[in-house]
Amino acid sequence: MITNFFIPELNNHDVQELWFQQDGATCHTARATIDLLKDTFGGRLISRFGPVNWPPRSCDLTPLDYFLWSYQGCLCYGETPDFRGF
């Protein structure tokens, strides 16, 4: 998916200032994947084993968890869903 879709799509946009951030899933941190992303983003890669090594599940690493999912829940359900059961 990265080589067939993501990288070609990036070529259609200005990515000189773009940072790439990913989670620490094993398939996402395979040596071939990290090397490809380092070639594409240089020092602007936030990943386990990347130039900017942030810990997985860091609150700084996943700001979308605190806004986007609640916002989408409000759009779908009309109110903030109750996540206390998780």
Side-chain angles (χ1 to χ4, degrees), residues 20-71:
F20 186 78
Q21 165 183 318
Q22 69 177 15
D23 61 6
T26 305
C27 60
H28 298 164
T29 58
R31 183 168 294 150
T33 303
I34 294 295
D35 290 344
L36 177 64
L37 293 171
K38 282 180 184 177
D39 290 342
T40 304
F41 293 97
R44 299 178 323 272
L45 171 62
I46 302 170
S47 176
R48 201 170 164 216
F49 309 119
V52 180
N53 186 11
W54 284 7
R57 294 174 297 283
S58 166
C59 61
D60 293 331
L61 187 59
T62 56
L64 293 178
D65 287 341
Y66 301 102
F67 168 74
L68 183 62
W69 304 125
S70 293
Y71 178 72

